[in-house]
Amino acid sequence: MEEDKVLPKHVGIIMDGNGRWAKKRGLKRSFGHKAGADNLEKLLKHIFNIGIKYVSVYAFSTENLKRSKEEVDYLMDLFVKYFTKKKKIFVSEELKVIFSGSKENLRNDVLAGIKEIEEATKDLKKGTFNICLNYGGRKELCDTVKKICEKVMNDEIKIEDINEDLITHNLYQDLPDLDFVIRTSGEMRISNFMLWQSSYAEYYFPETLFPDFDSKEFDKALLEYQKRNRRFGGVQ
Ligand code: IPE
Ligand code: IPE
Ligand code: MG
């Protein structure tokens, strides 16, 4: 078995089901988001300890701005708290934290939190933790097209230079392709998550709601990944 078949290099997690987790317990949706954030901390430790190098999580989509002001405010408060409180943990775990997403419509304290944590972890090498916040796959492609057009207009590159690698290198972050994407809560859709990066990813859709998706569930997912036969268009 090839090495990349044993362990995915880049795992994406669409952390869905926080609201339903809370509803099942007769709690407000915000409790589900808090439980999801607590779960993420433990889960990340586990995933990076296994030896996986890149993890991308979908924390807030561009479309999530449609939710009530109360919920959006709660989530933004949670991100700010999470970044400040967990900064030490990321540093001690030697994880480089990066963000993917649009800076438009984000509060100043959220932007400041992003800058602070990226700066504090930029030289760390055990693994890369990419947080998709105010992220949309289509928006990322629009922003990338704009970035590339500017480079063409400034004579930094020629139109003939545009190819798949160039697009990959001009996305919000320059990351390897996703090998494995997990979406919790039983929903079987992508909801605009890392469209370019997931073109040959394996997908896994457990029924478990994200706050309950623990290390054991992750290991189960990994076993499933290891059974998949990735062909990339070839014959086998
Ligand atoms: C995912 O959980 C977290 C975010 C989208 C921010 P949801 O809030 O979508 O939970 P459900 O899908 O309503 O259960
Ligand atoms: C996708 O979940 C976004 C995140 C998990 C952050 P949603 O709950 O927003 O997706 P839909 O609306 O069910 O497609
Ligand atoms: Mg949802």
Side-chain angles (χ1 to χ4, degrees):
M1 219 188 267
E2 295 157 40
E3 184 59 27
D4 70 338
K5 205 164 179 188
V6 178
L7 216 53
K9 187 170 185 183
H10 187 183
V11 173
I13 307 175
I14 303 175
M15 308 184 290
D16 200 11
N18 294 348
R20 277 163 283 170
W21 184 93
K23 196 173 172 200
K24 255 172 55 179
R25 289 162 177 77
L27 301 168
K28 283 173 68 174
R29 297 177 60 81
S30 54
F31 284 87
H33 295 315
K34 172 75 175 63
D38 291 340
N39 182 48
L40 179 62
E41 184 183 335
K42 284 182 251 158
L43 191 59
L44 279 178
K45 245 186 203 169
H46 177 69
I47 298 176
F48 285 111
N49 280 339
I50 295 175
I52 289 168
K53 292 289 176 204
Y54 295 87
V55 177
S56 289
V57 297
Y58 207 2
F60 191 88
S61 73
T62 41
E63 291 75 24
N64 287 148
L65 276 172
K66 289 180 199 157
R67 297 189 179 191
S68 72
K69 182 169 171 358
E70 188 193 353
E71 184 168 353
V72 173
D73 282 347
Y74 180 87
L75 282 164
M76 294 301 151
D77 289 344
L78 190 64
F79 295 140
V80 173
K81 256 189 237 153
Y82 193 82
F83 305 149
T84 4
K85 275 208 191 142
K86 310 293 178 205
K87 197 170 79 186
K88 273 197 196 128
I89 299 175
F90 292 126
V91 172
S92 67
E93 295 284 319
E94 291 177 66
L95 298 177
K96 177 175 173 173
V97 184
I98 55 174
F99 287 83
S100 291
S102 167
K103 301 276 191 287
E104 292 160 32
N105 306 314
L106 278 184
R107 284 174 6 192
N108 283 338
D109 57 342
V110 176
L111 292 172
I114 291 177
K115 214 169 149 190
E116 195 181 319
I117 199 158
E118 278 189 334
E119 183 59 31
T121 62
K122 68 179 187 325
D123 298 320
L124 303 177
K125 300 225 154 49
K126 179 172 167 189
T128 300
F129 175 39
N130 175 42
I131 305 177
C132 295
L133 180 62
N134 201 22
Y135 176 88
R138 287 187 167 185
K139 172 97 177 110
E140 175 170 41
L141 291 176
C142 288
D143 288 345
T144 302
V145 169
K146 283 187 202 160
K147 212 198 265 184
I148 292 174
C149 284
E150 272 168 23
K151 290 187 182 179
V152 172
M153 287 192 313
N154 295 333
D155 287 329
E156 287 169 46
I157 53 168
K158 294 199 262 315
I159 288 205
E160 301 78 65
D161 297 331
I162 300 175
N163 58 26
E164 294 184 18
D165 279 343
L166 185 99
I167 292 176
T168 300
H169 297 320
N170 281 281
L171 295 169
Y172 290 136
Q173 299 290 349
D174 192 354
L175 293 165
D177 280 348
L178 280 162
D179 297 299
F180 191 34
V181 174
I182 299 168
R183 181 176 185 146
T184 56
S185 87
E187 305 293 355
M188 291 189 225
R189 55 179 171 266
I190 314 180
S191 302
N192 212 4
F193 178 64
M194 301 185 88
L195 302 177
W196 179 272
Q197 300 88 335
S198 63
S199 52
Y200 265 103
E202 295 296 326
Y203 281 90
Y204 181 71
F205 298 106
E207 291 290 328
T208 318
L209 304 172
F210 184 71
D212 295 327
F213 190 80
D214 57 12
S215 309
K216 251 170 89 182
E217 292 271 342
F218 184 83
D219 290 346
K220 218 165 87 187
L222 203 53
L223 279 178
E224 171 66 32
Y225 172 82
Q226 287 164 337
K227 284 189 214 143
R228 303 277 175 94
N229 184 7
R230 303 185 77 192
R231 284 192 289 274
F232 300 98
V235 182
Q236 210 170 18

